[in-house]
Amino acid sequence: MDGTVLVADDDRTIRTVLTQALTRAGCRVHATSSLVTLKRWVEEGRGDLVISDVMMPDGNGLEALPEIAQMRPDLPVIVISAQNTIMTAIQAAEAEAFDYLPKPFDLPDLMKRASRALEQKRRAPSPRAEAKEGGDDLPLVGRTPAMQSLYRLVARVMNTELPVLITGESGTGKSLIARAIHDFSDRRNLPFVVVTPDDLTPIDGPARVLSKAGQGTILFDEIGDLDSDAQARITRMLDSLTDPSPRIIATSQGDLSGRIKEGGFRQDLYYRLGGVTIPVPALRERLEDIPSLAEHFLARAERDGMTPRALSKDATEVLRAYPWPGNVRQLENTVQRLMVTGSEAEISRAEVEATLGAPSGGPVPAADEGEKLSTSVARHLKRYFDLHGGTLPPPGLYQRILKEIEVPLIEIALDATGGNQAKCADLLGINRNTLRKKITELEIEVTRRRKLM
């Protein structure tokens, strides 16, 4: 790579890592923790690429993008953010960011994107869409790769004319995504019409739907549940569309391609709906997002006037171990029940187990003196499997368990060495740089006792 990169992040470790990596790749780097300094550099004509965090001590990186674009329309900006919500991805796309990555990011991936940014000219700027008031309340929260891919796909298709088919299990948030595509698109001030089977029954039903929608958005919710007559009416309605026409979005729980083979769904309608397919992952496929979602629902209940409550660490572990057949909707209902059924400030493990109907079995028995570590770990793993009530835990168990072991191991080792990372690395038998990387990747909090040495 060749060029000058401006790095803006309030985290010194991230600035150091990016500076070293970009310098090794052949770039010149200027790094700062100040948004004001970054904008001054841009105004002075420095830099061929900007890599910026969102939340800075003196401002918001996303809100600064239009100003940067006005000063240097050809300057690409890569946004990195720990605010891993669909709003961040959408706002980054609307503000014409070259790219967006969630924290913690994969360094080789970021380097590849930086290389592309330096080689390509930024596309012509377009008017920034206004964020919908209250949009942060969308429970589309998550830092897992599956959710980040979903956010980027939503941002890319938002203002296209292609029809969108959103697939996923009940309770995953398909309708919310459909609404988000409309609310943050150029059609946001136009009608959003949800079509029911009753709307299609009259002979003039489809014509009424089109008249009501105008150039807005039409949503066929759970289109796979419609009978053959309704499917035929929708097919004819879509064939009659003329420019300008409404945006077409459909949601489906089941596999429509499988229904086609069984004769339960029209193939021609499937082709008309599937311009872009957005699969929504089940909650059991993104267990790392459960704590963030639970905190979101707790905060929303508090804003609605409920007495504040917080989840204990053990309670959170039970939520993460549960298979969640009802997905995000079931998690939301569970959190709401926990808010009103208890009076203590902290939600206990027993409360969660009672609400979910999970086997409580009391606390895990203490290890016998002299018991091997492997025996103790085996007992905990057995309990984890038992919590699933005879069903297998979600895929990805190996990496999930390794992370559960690594975090307390490093935290305890840091405490034992008084926060001295050199001693801690020696104790663990790993390289000091490896330890630093683990602290960042595993988001281990470095307290006053555990100072960066």
Side-chain angles (χ1 to χ4, degrees):
M1 287 191 288
D2 182 33
T4 300
V5 182
L6 309 180
V7 175
D9 198 295
D10 62 344
D11 189 317
R12 176 186 292 180
T13 301
I14 290 179
R15 294 199 305 272
T16 301
V17 168
L18 290 180
T19 298
Q20 292 176 347
L22 290 164
T23 301
R24 285 196 298 267
C27 296
R28 296 166 296 282
V29 182
H30 298 291
T32 179
S33 61
S34 169
L35 198 58
V36 171
T37 301
L38 172 66
K39 289 190 286 188
R40 176 169 57 80
W41 286 345
V42 172
E43 189 174 15
E44 292 172 354
R46 300 192 197 182
D48 303 299
L49 167 66
V50 171
I51 300 177
S52 176
D53 192 9
V54 173
M55 299 308 295
M56 301 283 283
D58 55 352
N60 185 298
L62 282 176
E63 293 176 358
L65 287 186
E67 186 177 351
I68 292 174
Q70 186 174 9
M71 290 187 289
R72 302 269 303 281
D74 60 339
L75 181 63
V77 179
I78 295 177
V79 174
I80 54 176
S81 174
Q83 292 185 312
N84 302 303
T85 70
I86 194 170
M87 279 299 303
T88 309
I90 288 175
Q91 289 172 350
E94 290 175 342
E96 294 294 316
F98 180 86
D99 215 331
Y100 157 76
L101 280 86
K103 289 182 178 179
F105 53 81
D106 179 70
L107 183 58
D109 182 34
L110 175 57
M111 295 297 289
K112 290 178 183 177
R113 294 168 191 263
S115 178
R116 287 199 298 268
L118 289 169
E119 292 171 359
Q120 299 176 20
K121 287 187 177 181
R122 188 178 182 185
R123 61 183 183 275
S126 61
R128 183 184 179 193
E130 297 178 0
K132 180 181 172 63
E133 185 177 353
D136 287 330
D137 199 43
L138 288 171
L140 298 172
V141 178
R143 65 171 63 244
T144 52
M147 289 303 290
Q148 294 302 319
S149 295
L150 185 149
Y151 297 161
R152 293 192 188 95
L153 183 54
V154 168
R156 285 199 297 269
V157 306
M158 195 166 48
N159 283 315
T160 68
E161 301 297 323
L162 292 170
V164 176
L165 176 62
I166 306 171
T167 63
E169 296 178 7
S170 176
T172 51
K174 299 187 298 295
S175 297
L176 285 172
I177 292 171
R179 185 81 213 196
I181 291 173
H182 173 82
D183 287 348
F184 297 98
S185 72
D186 294 339
R187 302 175 191 258
R188 60 190 175 278
N189 294 320
L190 299 173
F192 180 82
V193 179
V194 181
V195 179
T196 67
D198 292 340
D199 294 326
L200 300 169
T201 301
I203 295 177
D204 61 344
R208 289 183 181 180
V209 169
L210 289 174
S211 176
K212 186 177 180 180
Q215 297 176 43
T217 301
I218 295 176
L219 171 62
F220 296 105
D221 205 15
E222 300 301 345
I223 196 165
D225 295 340
L226 299 179
D227 61 27
S228 58
D229 289 340
Q231 293 176 34
R233 292 190 186 96
I234 293 174
T235 303
R236 289 193 293 271
M237 183 179 79
L238 297 182
D239 285 342
S240 70
L241 293 178
T242 57
D243 290 332
S245 62
R247 177 74 175 273
I248 304 298
I249 303 178
T251 67
S252 174
Q253 282 187 40
D255 178 15
L256 292 183
S257 59
R259 292 281 308 279
I260 292 172
K261 295 177 182 178
E262 299 168 358
F265 197 81
R266 293 176 62 110
Q267 188 174 44
D268 54 352
L269 177 56
Y270 178 73
Y271 292 144
R272 285 165 175 78
L273 295 172
V276 176
T277 299
I278 300 179
V280 185
L283 188 54
R284 63 180 175 276
E285 297 170 357
R286 54 185 190 106
L287 295 179
E288 298 300 319
D289 291 334
I290 288 177
S292 298
L293 284 163
E295 290 298 326
H296 171 87
F297 294 132
L298 287 169
R300 190 164 70 181
E302 183 178 340
R303 290 197 301 270
D304 291 341
M306 294 186 184
T307 303
R309 301 195 76 194
L311 287 162
S312 69
K313 186 176 181 179
D314 287 345
T316 302
E317 289 177 359
V318 175
L319 292 178
R320 289 182 58 181
Y322 190 72
W324 299 108
N327 291 294
V328 178
R329 186 181 296 121
Q330 183 187 7
L331 175 62
E332 180 180 13
N333 292 337
T334 298
V335 171
Q336 289 177 344
R337 287 199 298 273
L338 291 168
M339 288 290 285
V340 301
T341 56
S343 56
E344 298 295 329
E346 188 173 73
I347 299 170
S348 68
R349 179 190 190 107
E351 283 184 84
V352 177
E353 289 175 335
T355 301
L356 292 174
S360 58
V364 176
D368 295 332
E369 187 174 351
E371 181 183 61
K372 289 184 177 180
L373 177 61
S374 60
T375 303
S376 178
V377 171
R379 185 171 62 252
H380 284 269
L381 290 175
K382 178 64 166 58
R383 177 177 174 77
Y384 177 79
F385 274 79
D386 290 343
L387 281 171
H388 289 76
T391 62
L392 290 175
L397 180 62
Y398 184 78
Q399 290 298 329
R400 199 157 61 246
I401 294 299
L402 284 184
K403 182 177 179 180
E404 291 289 341
I405 294 173
E406 271 190 307
V407 171
L409 174 61
I410 294 175
E411 288 179 339
I412 293 170
L414 281 169
D415 282 336
T417 55
N420 187 311
Q421 292 189 16
K423 290 183 179 180
C424 182
D426 185 60
L427 175 65
L428 294 171
I430 61 177
N431 183 276
R432 186 178 177 182
N433 290 332
T434 301
L435 176 61
R436 288 178 180 272
K437 183 179 179 182
K438 290 288 185 183
I439 290 172
T440 301
E441 289 178 347
L442 299 174
E443 298 183 302
I444 295 174
E445 182 179 356
V446 181
T447 62
R448 289 181 179 178
R449 187 179 175 190
R450 306 176 195 156
K451 293 179 181 178
L452 283 169
M453 304 304 288

